Each structure stands twice: as structure tokens, then as C-alpha cells.
């Protein structure tokens, strides 16, 4: 649950003794990846977390993010689970819990968070290691729903007379001082008036621990590594988890002393070819090749219906949120999306065992007898482009729990999509905005693991460099 500034908590409970000295903690935190499951479970006694009633600075949505109905078996009376370590990784994602704090007492960030949120120090150290803790020099503007007390506290810590005495913000505007940055070290100091955002439940990627990463390496050169990315993993990390990534696990699998660099992204639920740079310099070089359109990407898409051959053109709403809305008609300010369907052949729909193995969700498609494997040349590289375009054509990808439900709804009720082929005429902008909101509501959530999409070939410099991924998941059982 999203909670407010934990100001009253420190005052009410005082300074608790930490479970271990900061010196020992630092030593253990640096070697956390090698600690055994026994240490993870038993080294520190779990503490109760306090649920706060107010929502002072809701910078992130408190919507539940759960990929399983399973709940933690060891939970405190207040509804929060008891905490030990972030490893071993759970097989599910817990309900979102983001805490927003204003610092009232100068000191090491780890100690302050541990006391304020009543969390074991090693758990907080893990959160920092995962990149799940952020700070701003000055707390941001409270939401309109904040309480009078919360507005009073915000005003107190942003008064010019108070800010004038803070050396750390000299030369910065208030807006600049409210920018958030990731905390990277457990011994960083926080000062009175600073803002902290703590993702107590980071998004997890249990698939990372199931993969034989060496077997997913396609090629290793002096400049780059080619990875056959597994579905259900993140290339370079998320807002609150930069540890459970393809970059991290590929680096370890190869025994490299320097971390790999992300050069481009594909969706977490997509598998296939990804280029990871070995140096910062080659990362910049590859970025330039992408900008200059010297990189060609071919995909295999497992669609629920046939797609005509040729170039398909849409325009995508320039809003950086899922679902991505597209229209076949030109709309001023929307981004051009183009892909070319090179082949489309009928194949069998994956059987129940394969769907279960790869967590393919039942999204309501009426017939599961036939699917259609399409070879696609991606001409523009928009986020969710293939998924959104094919769904708009009435051929959503198998297992795509965001876009398939909307496609099914449009089939049952033509005209529901305000940008679709059967779109209605609206008498006012307000009516259209309502229709857009209703259309967005027809979409679902991001898939748990895989969808029918593979980046099966990547090439650049006119084919001088060309690499192919392995067999897509929907064909593995046929071998």
C-alpha cells in the first residue's frame, strides 16, 4: 500500500537498536549475492511493518501488481509480510508497497529507512542494491487529496527561510531540487528536509534464476555480446529493480569483470536477439546505428488470426503509458508506426501443456485451434508497436493479456474502439474522451512471462553482422 511521510513514526517509536552494526552490515551487503538461503531466512529476525493511513506524496500508483493469487505465508498482523532478505526470489510479485518519507533526522540513509519503516537493515541494504530507493533534496508537491497536516509539513520544509540554510541546494531552483535520483550506496547520508521514496516491494523476475544463461549467449566479440533473451526477463532493469536483469546475469555467466551495457530494449514478455555492448564507447556507436536506421530487426509473431502480407501503417498516441493506442487514420502529433509482414502461415495453437509451461494467459480468444506465425520486418521501433498494430488488425498475439482482451471486446461490440475501423462519430470532445477512457479500460495487464513474439534476427551494416535467435517457445515441444 502507498503510504505517507513517515514523520510521526520516528517520533512515536524513537531510535530502535539495529540488528547489527553498520560496519558488519556494509561487509555483508557487499557479498549479499553469495549468502545462502539459510542466512537469507534466519540471520535477522523479521520486524513488523507499520501501515500508515494517509497518502502524503503518492508519486507512484498504489494499484496492486500481482502475478499470482498466492500470498505470503508469513505475514504480520497489519497485512504486510515479515521481511528477511530479497533473496531467494519469490515466485510471484507481491502487492505494490511504496513508502514516501521526509527526513527529520540526519544520518546514514540505511539506518533512517530501517528505523522509519521498521525494516531489517539487510532488507533495506538489498533494496538499495536493487535500485529501489530514491531521494530528492526537497520533497515534492503533495497530491490534492493530501491532508491539511501534510500540506503544513510540505510548506514547512519548502519555506524559503528553511531552504536558505541548506547548503546542498544552493544554486538550484526548487524544481531542480525536487528531481529524484537513485540512492546507490548504503552509507549515503540524508539531511533534514530531504525526500525519500522506497519501493518496499520491487518488481521481481524469478525467471532470471531458472535460465541457463550461458546457453542463451549467441556470440561474444571484443565490442558486444549477442544474447537470446528469455521471455519474462528485463533487458536493463525497471524503476525499482536493476539487479534481476539480462545485463547482470549475462555478465556473470560470461565471467566478465566489467558490466555489459544495454544498447536497445525489447519487452519483458518478448524473447530473442538483444545486443549488449562491452564498452560505453560501443554502446554509443550502436545507438548511432539505430538512429541512422542501419539496424534491421526481424520478428516472429504468433498471431490469433491471419495477417495480410505487405506494409501496415498506423499512428500511435504519444503517451508513454500502456496500452499504446493506435489509429489507421493520420492524427496530428501521433507517431508513425510501420511494419512489413513478409510471411504468414497457419500453425497449431500451442497446447495446454506448453501454455502452462510458459504462463500463457487465456485472454478470451474464441477459438484455439489455429494460430498464424508471421515473419515481420519492423520498420519503426515504437514501444509495443507489433502488439498494438496486430491487435488493431484483429490479430492479437497469443498470450498478450494487454491487447487481446480489447481486440475480443471490439469483435463483440464493433465501434467500441474510438480509433478503429468502425469508430463512431462523437458530438463533443467530452464524449470522445469518455469513449477513449472506456476503450483503455478494455485492455488488460502486462503478461506474467511470455507472449507469441520473438526478435528472431538482428543485423546491421547492410548484413555485415547478422545473428539469429534459437527456436521460439511455441515450437520447442515439436523438436
Amino acid at each position: 500500500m502507498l503510504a505517507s511521510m513517515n514523520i510521526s513514526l520516528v517520533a512515536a517509536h524513537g531510535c530502535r537498536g539495529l540488528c547489527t552494526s553498520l560496519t558488519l552490515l556494509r561487509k555483508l551487503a557487499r557479498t549479499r549475492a553469495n549468502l545462502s538461503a539459510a542466512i537469507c531466512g534466519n540471520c535477522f529476525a523479521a520486524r513488523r511493518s507499520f501501515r500508515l493511513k494517509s497518502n502524503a506524496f503518492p508519486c507512484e500508483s498504489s494499484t496492486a501488481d500481482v502475478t499470482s493469487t498466492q500470498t505470503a505465508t508469513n505475514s504480520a498482523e497489519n497485512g504486510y509480510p515479515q521481511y528477511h532478505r530479497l533473496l531467494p526470489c519469490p515466485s510471484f510479485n507481491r502487492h505494490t508497497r511504496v513508502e514516501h518519507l521526509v527526513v527529520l533526522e540526519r544520518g546514514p540513509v540505511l539506518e533512517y529507512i530501517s528505523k522509519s519503516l521498521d525494516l531489517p537493515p539487510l532488507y533495506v541494504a538489498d533494496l538499495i542494491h536493487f535500485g529501489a530507493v530514491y531521494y530528492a533534496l526537497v520533497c515534492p508537491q503533495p497530491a490534492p487529496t493530501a491532508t491539511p497536516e501534510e500540506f503544513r509539513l510540505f510548506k514547512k520544509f519548502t519555506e524559503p527561510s528553511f531552504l536558505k540554510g541548506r547548503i546542498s541546494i544552493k544554486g538550484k531552483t526548487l524544481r531542480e531540487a525536487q528531481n529524484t535520483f537513485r540512492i546507490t550506496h548504503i552509507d549515503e547520508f540524508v539531511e533534514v528536509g530531504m525526500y525519500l521514496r522506497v519501493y518496499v516491494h520491487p518488481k521481481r523476475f524469478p525467471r532470471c534464476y531458472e535460465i541457463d544463461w550461458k546457453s542463451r549467449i549467441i556470440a561474444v566479440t571484443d565490442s558486444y555480446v549477442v544474447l537470446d533473451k528469455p521471455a519474462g526477463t528485463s533487458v536493463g532493469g525497471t524503476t525499482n529493480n536493476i539487479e534481476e536483469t539480462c545485463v547482470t546475469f549475462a555478465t556473470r555467466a560470461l565471467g566478465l569483470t566489467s558490466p555489459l551495457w544495454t544498447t536497445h530494449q525489447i519487452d519483458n514478455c518478448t524473447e530473442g536477439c538483444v545486443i549488449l555492448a562491452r564498452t560505453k564507447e560501443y554502446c554509443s556507436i550502436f545507438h548511432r546505428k539505430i538512429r541512422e536506421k542501419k539496424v534491421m530487426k526481424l520478428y516472429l509473431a504468433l498471431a490469433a488470426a491471419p495477417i495480410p502480407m505487405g506494409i501496415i501503417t498506423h499512428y500511435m498516441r504519444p503517451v508513454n503509458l500502456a496500452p499504446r493506442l493506435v489509429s489507421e487514420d493520420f492524427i496530428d502529433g501521433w507517431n508513425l508506426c510501420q511494419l512489413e509482414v513478409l510471411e504468414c502461415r497457419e500453425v497449431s495453437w500451442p497446447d495446454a501443456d506448453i501454455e502452462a509451461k510458459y504462463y500463457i494467459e487465456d485472454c478470451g480468444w474464441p477459438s484455439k485451434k489455429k494460430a498464424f506465425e508471421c515473419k515481420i520486418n519492423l520498420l519503426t521501433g515504437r514501444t509495443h508497436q507489433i502488439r498494438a498494430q496486430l491487435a488493431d488488425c484483429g490479430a492479437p498475439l497469443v498470450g498478450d493479456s494487454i491487447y487481446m482482451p480489447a481486440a475480443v471486446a471490439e469483435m463483440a461490440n464493433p465501434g467500441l474502439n474510438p480509433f478503429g475501423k468502425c469508430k463512431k462519430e462523437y458530438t463533443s470532445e467530452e464524449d470522445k474522451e469518455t469513449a477513449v477512457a472506456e476503450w483503455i479500460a478494455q485492455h488488460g495487464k502486462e503478461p506474467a512471462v511470455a507472449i507469441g513474439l520473438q526478435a528472431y534476427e538482428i543485423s546491421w551494416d547492410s548484413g555485415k553482422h547478422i545473428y539469429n535467435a534459437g527456436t521460439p517457445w511455441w515450437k520447442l515441444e515439436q523438436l
Side-chain angles (χ1 to χ4, degrees):
M1 173 181 288
L2 183 64
S4 73
M5 298 179 299
N6 226 321
I7 291 175
S8 60
L9 188 61
V10 176
H13 297 275
C15 297
R16 294 181 174 84
L18 298 180
C19 296
T20 185
S21 71
L22 190 58
T23 302
L24 176 60
L25 176 60
R26 289 169 182 162
K27 182 177 179 181
L28 290 174
R30 292 189 184 100
T31 59
R32 62 177 59 81
N34 297 321
L35 293 178
S36 67
I39 293 176
C40 293
N42 301 318
C43 185
F44 289 90
R47 292 181 170 186
R48 173 181 293 183
S49 303
F50 287 83
R51 175 177 293 177
L52 302 184
K53 295 181 179 179
S54 56
N55 296 319
F57 296 116
C59 298
E60 300 293 331
S61 170
S62 60
T63 303
D65 177 18
V66 184
T67 58
S68 170
T69 56
Q70 182 179 1
T71 57
T73 57
N74 190 18
S75 58
E77 293 178 1
N78 62 7
Y80 290 144
Q82 293 180 323
Y83 298 105
H84 300 279
R85 297 296 300 274
L86 284 182
L87 294 175
C89 181
S91 59
F92 61 96
N93 277 300
R94 296 190 178 111
H95 288 275
T96 296
R97 180 186 172 193
V98 185
E99 298 283 356
H100 304 269
L101 314 176
V102 170
V103 177
L104 298 180
E105 180 182 324
R106 183 179 184 275
V109 65
L110 186 146
E111 293 186 23
Y112 189 83
I113 293 174
S114 182
K115 288 191 298 183
S116 298
L117 299 183
D118 200 24
L119 294 172
L122 277 183
Y123 189 85
V124 178
D126 285 344
L127 291 176
I128 293 171
H129 179 69
F130 268 55
V133 181
Y134 289 77
Y135 79 93
L137 292 173
V138 177
C139 53
Q141 176 74 35
T145 55
T147 65
E149 172 65 9
E150 290 161 354
F151 278 109
R152 185 191 70 79
L153 291 169
F154 168 77
K155 184 177 180 181
K156 173 183 176 181
F157 287 108
T158 54
E159 284 283 355
S161 57
F162 176 80
L163 296 178
K164 185 181 295 184
R166 294 187 57 189
I167 299 175
S168 62
I169 63 174
K170 288 193 180 299
K172 296 181 175 66
T173 65
L174 180 61
R175 183 181 294 272
E176 289 171 340
Q178 290 174 327
N179 289 337
T180 55
F181 302 91
R182 181 177 273 124
I183 288 178
T184 57
H185 299 290
I186 62 172
D187 51 1
E188 288 187 30
F189 269 65
V190 292
E191 60 183 73
V192 175
M194 285 179 62
Y195 161 79
L196 295 173
R197 183 168 74 239
V198 184
Y199 293 86
V200 183
H201 293 163
K203 179 175 174 59
R204 306 304 301 272
F205 294 91
R207 281 273 288 167
C208 286
Y209 304 95
E210 303 168 4
I211 301 299
D212 176 6
W213 286 92
K214 282 189 176 180
S215 72
R216 308 292 300 203
I217 304 297
I218 298 172
V220 180
T221 74
D222 292 338
S223 301
Y224 58 85
V225 170
V226 186
L227 174 71
D228 188 355
K229 174 193 171 297
T233 62
S234 171
V235 177
T238 62
T239 301
N240 51 40
N241 189 340
I242 57 173
E243 167 66 18
E244 294 170 340
T245 69
C246 293
V247 167
T248 299
F249 281 79
T251 299
R252 291 174 183 167
L254 292 171
L256 301 178
T257 56
S258 298
L260 295 166
W261 292 73
T262 302
T263 65
H264 63 107
Q265 297 280 352
I266 59 177
D267 292 343
N268 295 345
C269 54
T270 303
E271 64 181 20
C273 294
V274 171
I275 307 301
L276 305 175
R278 297 193 62 175
T279 64
K280 185 177 181 180
E281 291 72 24
Y282 192 78
C283 185
S284 299
I285 290 171
F286 200 83
H287 282 161
R288 185 169 63 250
K289 292 180 186 295
I290 293 175
R291 289 195 304 270
E292 295 173 351
K293 301 189 182 302
K294 293 180 178 179
V295 179
M296 182 177 181
K297 300 176 185 178
L298 297 179
Y299 285 78
L300 287 180
L302 189 67
I307 300 291
M309 248 79 80
I311 294 176
I312 298 176
T313 300
H314 283 86
Y315 298 89
M316 181 177 286
R317 185 176 70 149
V319 175
N320 191 28
L321 291 172
R324 308 296 170 132
L325 304 185
V326 295
S327 169
E328 286 189 355
D329 297 328
F330 172 80
I331 300 179
D332 187 37
W334 286 33
N335 298 317
L336 175 68
C337 291
Q338 284 188 317
L339 58 80
E340 182 181 12
V341 180
L342 304 174
E343 296 177 10
C344 184
R345 64 187 190 90
E346 183 180 309
V347 296
S348 297
W349 192 284
D351 64 33
D353 290 340
I354 298 176
E355 287 190 322
K357 182 176 181 180
Y358 292 95
Y359 301 89
I360 304 304
E361 299 184 39
D362 183 356
C363 307
W365 194 255
S367 174
K368 290 189 175 182
K369 293 181 180 179
K370 301 176 182 177
F372 298 83
E373 187 179 86
C374 305
K375 183 182 293 186
I376 293 173
N377 177 19
L378 194 60
L379 301 177
T380 58
R382 309 293 181 189
T383 301
H384 289 197
Q385 179 182 329
I386 295 175
R387 300 166 63 182
Q389 284 195 265
L390 266 59
D392 191 71
C393 295
L397 300 183
V398 171
D400 194 341
S401 53
I402 288 185
Y403 295 97
M404 185 178 280
V408 172
E410 174 68 10
M411 289 169 57
N413 186 13
L416 191 62
N417 180 359
F419 307 107
K421 296 181 179 66
C422 302
K423 60 180 177 290
K424 302 172 183 177
E425 294 295 329
Y426 301 98
T427 56
S428 68
E429 280 300 313
E430 184 178 353
D431 287 344
K432 186 167 185 179
E433 288 176 6
T434 300
V436 171
E438 291 175 350
W439 174 237
I440 291 174
Q442 297 298 324
H443 294 72
K445 292 186 177 181
E446 188 68 18
V449 177
I451 61 172
L453 189 61
Q454 182 196 54
Y456 91 92
E457 182 176 291
I458 189 167
S459 61
W460 62 95
D461 294 346
S462 302
K464 182 179 179 182
H465 306 274
I466 183 168
Y467 298 96
N468 291 95
T471 305
W473 62 261
W474 60 88
K475 287 183 174 181
L476 284 175
E477 303 301 323
Q478 301 173 15
L479 298 179

